[in-house]
Amino acid sequence: MNILFLNNSTANPITGGIQCVAYYLYKYFVSQGHHVVMLAWVKTVEDGNHDFVYMPDSNKQLSKANKCFLEELLDSNHIDIVLNHTCLEPYKSIVLKFIFNKGLTVVNIFHNSPFGMYGIRKYRKLLNIKSTLVKQIIDKTIRLGFYIKYGYLLHMQAKYCNKVVLLSDYFKKEYTFFAGRKYAYKLISIPNPLTVENVNLADKQNRILYVGRLSAQKGLNYLLEIWNQIEDKYPDWSLDIVGDGEEKANAENKIQQLGLKRCKLYGFQQPDPFYTRSKIFCMTSLFEGFGLVLIEAMNYKTVPLAFDSYPNVKDIIDNGKNGLLIPPFDVDHYANALSLLMDNPNLLEAMADEAKMKSKEYDLEIIGSRWEKLFEELLKK
């Protein structure tokens, strides 16, 4: 089978997110004997891999140079299936019509929650409004605004493809709100695979971990407020924050303002050693598409806590069994949940064992085989 990946930027495990998932799916398909070409709009990492190629014109999707390049690339590699990872940048969907009309099988992957990206959950300050009714009105207004802005592009995504893959069945209603209900028959769900290799389950330390971008979406301010409530109560515990981003300076100021003593920002690092030594993992995101870091943490027997702030977090965390779900943005409840685990090592250990078992459901071989089955079904048609 000859597969073309269409990516926003260079697929690389170091960068995390969509490009990390794309990289491991690429590795899996190649290991199964498929020929895979990785086409990206921009080069962000020097890779030296001959399978990785780039659009000649990254600014204009349907320029003459891009059309000629695509024609040659698709024909010379005898591409059967195009796997499009660019759906979160809707304007790049314009190129799909050109590809689809060549008679190729096109599968789009929408790597996030549509209502998260295009609703009130995108804006932390609005979430702090106390009136539920007011928040509902604002949420619907924001969705309508994004529908006016992006609806025709998401409609184009759904029209010029054979399938749209979402990360959870929970997102089907959200996606059809923007793309149109008539495309509901094209929607399926396949979760992201676990992308951690060579796990080392060493002795755990009294450490709580955050891994992710330091962005407004990730709600890091909530985590710092939570840690401020319990830090003095647990002098033998510490909080490690791994990641970088536009909110780094604000996080540093917040740590200083609150006088936090055992909270350290490590910047961008390979997270594996941090997963290895940590007992608890904290997510405080306003929304997520999947939350791959939760699976990664569970694979290291690091018990996850997360706000119940996006629908498919329930696909990952079975509340009270392999982790804890907290009512959205309730800082006091979150602090109490952390205390519960820190005060009860037997409960923490039992949840860690369950978390490890849950993570196996997302092994790359299991998720990869689901993709292969989908491709085979589409090509038969």
Side-chain angles (χ1 to χ4, degrees), residues 7 32 86 139 155 173 184-185 250 274-275 287 299 314 345:
N7 303 313
Q32 299 303 303
T86 72
D139 191 23
H155 169 84
K173 183 178 180 181
Y185 74 97
N250 289 337
F274 294 90
Y275 286 130
F287 66 92
N299 193 40
K314 297 182 185 70

Side-chain angles (χ1 to χ4, degrees), residues 6-251:
L6 184 57
N7 303 313
N8 288 321
S9 58
T10 308
N12 191 284
I14 303 299
T15 57
I18 296 172
Q19 306 314 329
C20 178
V21 171
Y23 175 82
Y24 279 100
L25 286 175
Y26 156 75
K27 280 191 66 176
Y28 172 81
F29 292 138
V30 169
S31 73
Q32 299 303 303
H34 303 298
H35 172 54
V36 184
V37 179
M38 303 291 282
L39 173 61
W41 287 98
V42 294
K43 179 186 286 189
T44 51
V45 178
E46 290 295 334
D47 47 73
N49 189 326
H50 294 300
D51 291 340
F52 287 53
V53 295
Y54 300 89
M55 287 286 197
D57 185 350
S58 61
N59 297 315
K60 189 176 180 182
Q61 280 72 47
L62 288 179
S63 67
K64 184 177 180 180
N66 282 348
K67 286 182 178 179
C68 292
F69 179 80
L70 270 173
E71 286 272 9
E72 169 62 22
L73 185 70
L74 295 170
D75 292 343
S76 63
N77 288 278
H78 307 289
I79 296 300
D80 303 303
I81 292 203
V82 176
L83 195 58
N84 175 32
H85 290 270
T86 72
C87 291
L88 300 191
E89 296 187 25
Y91 289 106
K92 291 179 180 172
S93 299
I94 294 171
V95 77
L96 292 179
K97 181 178 180 180
F98 176 80
I99 296 173
F100 190 70
N101 285 343
K102 287 182 64 66
L104 297 176
T105 298
V106 176
V107 179
N108 290 327
I109 310 176
F110 199 90
H111 281 274
N112 214 317
S113 158
F115 282 177
M117 294 186 67
Y118 309 132
I120 194 173
R121 282 182 280 160
K122 189 178 178 72
Y123 307 97
R124 185 191 172 196
K125 290 182 179 179
L126 295 177
L127 289 171
N128 293 332
I129 296 173
K130 292 185 177 180
S131 171
T132 301
L133 178 60
V134 171
K135 284 196 289 189
Q136 288 174 344
I137 293 171
I138 293 173
D139 191 23
K140 290 181 179 180
T141 303
I142 293 172
R143 290 180 197 172
L144 178 60
F146 276 112
Y147 174 81
I148 294 170
K149 184 176 183 180
Y150 291 133
Y152 77 100
L153 290 169
L154 294 181
H155 169 84
M156 186 181 294
Q157 277 183 9
K159 180 178 181 179
Y160 296 115
C161 75
N162 300 86
K163 287 291 180 183
V164 176
V165 175
L166 306 172
L167 299 179
S168 170
D169 285 341
Y170 286 112
F171 293 146
K172 290 181 177 179
K173 183 178 180 181
E174 297 183 10
Y175 188 84
T176 54
F177 174 85
F178 295 102
R181 293 181 182 177
K182 68 178 181 178
Y183 296 115
Y185 74 97
K186 290 188 176 184
L187 305 183
I188 65 168
S189 66
I190 300 177
N192 282 333
L194 182 63
T195 57
V196 175
E197 301 176 302
N198 303 319
V199 172
N200 176 22
L201 296 177
D203 291 337
K204 295 286 189 177
Q205 302 171 19
N206 287 343
R207 291 179 176 271
I208 297 170
L209 177 64
Y210 167 93
V211 173
R213 293 194 323 276
L214 305 188
S215 66
Q217 176 197 333
K218 302 299 182 179
L220 187 59
N221 270 2
Y222 288 127
L223 181 56
L224 297 179
E225 292 165 10
I226 291 162
W227 181 242
N228 184 49
Q229 288 193 25
I230 63 175
E231 183 184 56
D232 290 341
K233 185 181 176 182
Y234 300 97
D236 59 333
W237 284 78
S238 59
L239 172 63
D240 298 334
I241 298 174
V242 177
D244 209 338
E246 63 272 19
E247 287 293 309
K248 182 180 180 181
N250 289 337

